[in-house]
Amino acid sequence: MLTVAENELLARTGAGTPMGNYLREFWTPAVRAASLEADGAPARVRLFGRNYVAFRATDGRVGFFDEECPHRCVSLSLARNEDNALRCLFHGWKIDVSGRLVEAPSEPPERQESFCAHVKINHYPTREAGGLIWVYLGTRAVPPSLFDLEFARLPESQVDIRRAVLRCNWLQGFEGTLDTVHAGILHVGWTGDPGRRWEGAQGAELHVLSRNVPSATIEFEPRRYGFREGALRSMPDGSCYARIRDVVLPYYSFIPTPGGAACFVTIVVPIDDETHMQWYIIYDPVKPIAEAARARLMADTSGDRDDFASDLGGWHNRWSQDRALMKTGHWTGIARPLPFEDFAVQEAMGPIMDRTREQLGSSDVTIVRTRRLLLEAARSFAEGKVPDVGDHARVRALAIRLAGDADWRQIDTLAPPASLPAPAAAARRPQIE
Ligand code: FES
Ligand SMILES: [Fe+2]
C-alpha cells in the first residue's frame, strides 16, 4: 500500500513531474523503425502527455519535432515530407530534418534568411536500433548512451516487434509485466489447453509449473540497472523450477519463456497519465525468427503491429468477456489473444489505480521492490543525481528446471546449464479444471 503522494509521484509523468523528468532522461522507444518510410507519412507520437511528429527524410535520417508548426501550430503530421524536410501545408514553412527553419515563403524574400534564423524549433535527438526509433527528450546537452540491450544489437530478421496502446496509467502495465504468479492463473485458458496454438509443450509445462504450483518463493539479486529476480517453485520430484529474469529500470521487464522459446522483453512507456504503450519484443539471439513463427505471432493479435490490441474493447463490452464460455470451463471468458487477458485486468483497475486501497501479499514482492526503486530514482534525480544504469550486456531471462539444491544466482542466463527434463508427457497435458 502506498500513500496518496507516493502513488501520484509514481503515476504522473507530465511536464515538470519528478517521474516525468526522470523517465525523459532515458532513450524512449517511440515508433517502430519500419513504420517510417523515406518521404512517407510523418507519425504523430504522444509521450508523457506531449505530442510530437516523427518522420524519415529523403536520405533515411529521422527527424523528431514538437508536433505543432512553429508558425501557427498546425500539426506537422499533415506536412509534406520531401527534400529532407517537412513543409507545413498552411504557409509552406520548411523545416529540415535537423530541426532548422530553412524557408518561410510567407515572409518577404529579402528578410527570409534573418527571419528563419530567429525561429526556434523544438527538435530531439534520435537513434535507430533493434527495429525501433528511440528519442531523447531529456535536458542533458549530451544525451546518455543507448542501453546495450541484446535485442538492439540483432539484425531485423531476429527481432519481432509490436505495440499495444492501452487506456490506463503506465504503471499498471509495467506492474502487470512484473507479476510472475498470475501466469498460471489468469492465463490458464491458454497454458492448460494443449489444443491452443500459442503454447504447445511450452504452455503445458507452464501450466504444470505455475498452475499446479502457483505460488513461488521469490528472491532477488540487486543490479545497478534494477534487479534480477528468481521465482522458484519446488516441484513434487524434488527439482526446482526457476524463472530467472531481470527488471531494468525504468520500465523494462525481461520475461522467461519456458521450453527454450525465443526471448521476450516488454517495454512500458507512458503516452499520458491515462494511456500507455506496451512494446512486445520477441527476439532470437542466434537465428532468424522463422516466417511461420512470425505469422503465428501475428495471428494471435489483430495484425496491426503498431496497435495490436486496437479491438481489445473495454467496459462497454467487458473486454469481450463471454460468461457462457466461463460456464463451460474457460477461466476468463476472454477468448482473445493471450495478452488481451493481461490488458483487460490492467484497464479494469481504472485509469489511474488507487494504490492506497490495495492489500498486498507475498507474491507482490517484486512490484513492491520496483515501486521503491522507482520512487528512490525519481527523488534522487530531482536532487540532481544522474541515474546509475550499469551494464546490460548479459541481461537475458531464463526458465529452467534445476536440481533442488542448485543456486539460481550462479546461473549465467546466456550460457545456462542443461535444464532437467520436463515432466512426463501425460502430466504435461492436464485438463482445465
Ligand atoms: S502554420 Fe505552418 S507555416 Fe503557417
Ligand atoms: Fe500475463
Side-chain angles (χ1 to χ4, degrees):
M1 195 170 93
L2 297 180
T3 64
V4 171
E6 288 169 334
N7 199 39
E8 288 287 298
L9 198 156
L10 284 165
R12 304 278 179 192
T13 64
T17 59
M19 187 57 69
N21 290 343
Y22 166 68
L23 294 183
R24 284 179 182 79
E25 278 305 302
F26 298 88
W27 286 93
T28 306
V31 289
R32 216 165 37 84
S35 72
L36 298 181
E37 286 177 29
D39 287 345
R44 288 185 87 198
V45 184
R46 185 166 170 80
L47 294 168
F48 312 117
R50 279 196 63 95
N51 292 341
Y52 305 93
V53 62
F55 68 103
R56 195 180 291 281
T58 317
D59 63 8
R61 282 179 293 166
V62 171
F64 205 102
F65 308 155
D66 281 352
E67 181 188 19
E68 63 268 22
C69 173
H71 182 208
R72 299 283 320 288
C73 301
V74 171
S75 171
L76 289 172
S77 69
L78 296 179
R80 300 178 65 85
N81 180 10
E82 57 197 15
D83 192 21
N84 287 315
L86 288 187
R87 191 186 280 278
C88 180
L89 295 184
F90 202 1
H91 309 98
W93 287 21
K94 181 179 179 184
I95 306 164
D96 78 9
V97 65
S98 65
R100 278 182 321 124
L101 183 65
V102 291
E103 282 179 34
S106 50
E107 293 299 308
E110 63 277 12
R111 67 181 298 259
Q112 273 210 29
E113 197 174 326
S114 63
F115 180 83
C116 287
H118 284 94
V119 173
K120 176 171 163 23
I121 295 168
N122 290 326
H123 63 284
Y124 306 89
T126 59
R127 298 277 187 277
E128 189 164 345
L132 289 164
I133 303 296
W134 306 74
V135 63
Y136 177 67
L137 300 170
T139 55
R140 282 193 240 180
V142 179
S145 303
L146 204 58
F147 284 179
D148 181 26
L149 295 168
E150 189 173 38
F151 80 87
R153 282 181 258 126
L154 295 174
E156 211 176 292
S157 61
Q158 289 172 232
V159 185
D160 186 278
I161 295 180
R162 68 198 65 201
R163 177 177 66 180
V165 176
L166 302 181
R167 291 173 302 277
C168 62
N169 184 258
W170 77 285
L171 196 58
Q172 281 150 242
F174 187 31
E175 290 178 351
T177 69
L178 301 174
D179 185 318
T180 192
V181 170
H182 86 277
I185 302 172
L186 179 72
H187 300 311
V188 69
W190 285 87
T191 57
D193 180 353
R196 303 293 280 269
R197 61 181 177 270
W198 170 72
E199 79 304 352
Q202 297 164 28
E205 177 169 303
L206 190 62
H207 176 90
V208 169
L209 299 170
S210 298
R211 175 66 172 164
N212 293 3
V213 190
S215 65
T217 300
I218 300 175
E219 299 179 350
F220 301 106
E221 275 279 288
R223 292 282 195 274
R224 284 169 60 194
Y225 51 69
F227 57 90
R228 173 160 280 197
E229 174 199 78
L232 313 172
R233 291 177 171 88
S234 297
M235 304 310 296
D237 65 359
S239 66
C240 169
Y241 182 63
R243 283 165 61 86
I244 303 169
R245 54 82 160 267
D246 301 277
V247 174
V248 173
L249 296 187
Y251 37 48
Y252 297 82
S253 180
F254 289 78
I255 298 176
T257 48
C263 302
F264 181 31
V265 56
T266 57
I267 317 174
V268 180
V269 180
I271 294 174
D272 53 38
D273 286 348
E274 298 188 1
T275 325
H276 73 273
M277 62 177 86
Q278 293 190 24
W279 291 104
Y280 270 43
I281 298 174
I282 293 162
Y283 61 98
D284 192 316
V286 294
K287 62 182 188 309
I289 298 174
E291 273 315 308
R294 261 179 216 279
R296 194 171 62 243
L297 288 166
M298 286 308 289
D300 284 344
T301 65
S302 66
D304 181 346
R305 288 188 175 278
D306 296 309
D307 191 3
F308 75 77
S310 58
D311 60 348
L312 172 66
W315 274 120
H316 62 281
N317 67 347
R318 292 178 174 257
W319 293 273
S320 304
Q321 188 180 46
D322 181 342
R323 289 271 158 189
L325 191 61
M326 293 168 80
K327 293 280 188 208
T328 66
H330 195 284
W331 177 256
T332 63
I334 301 172
R336 308 292 311 280
L338 181 144
F340 285 31
E341 293 177 326
D342 294 304
F343 299 158
V345 298
Q346 290 160 18
E347 288 192 353
M349 292 169 172
I352 301 180
M353 181 190 173
D354 181 355
R355 293 179 180 76
T356 67
R357 295 175 58 79
E358 63 187 1
Q359 302 179 56
L360 300 177
S362 58
S363 71
D364 301 306
V365 62
T366 309
I367 288 170
V368 171
R369 185 182 186 90
T370 305
R371 289 176 187 171
R372 180 167 55 72
L373 291 176
L374 282 171
L375 284 168
E376 285 171 8
R379 286 174 180 143
S380 298
F381 184 73
E383 290 163 5
K385 187 166 170 245
V386 173
D388 176 15
V389 297
D391 176 5
H392 306 90
R394 300 197 73 76
V395 170
R396 191 193 289 174
L398 176 72
I400 188 169
R401 290 171 65 89
L402 301 170
D405 58 353
D407 181 0
W408 70 272
R409 290 181 172 83
Q410 302 305 317
I411 304 288
D412 178 350
T413 57
L414 270 69
S419 184
L420 294 180
R428 280 196 280 115
R429 298 219 159 175
Q431 297 301 307
I432 304 171
E433 43 275 57

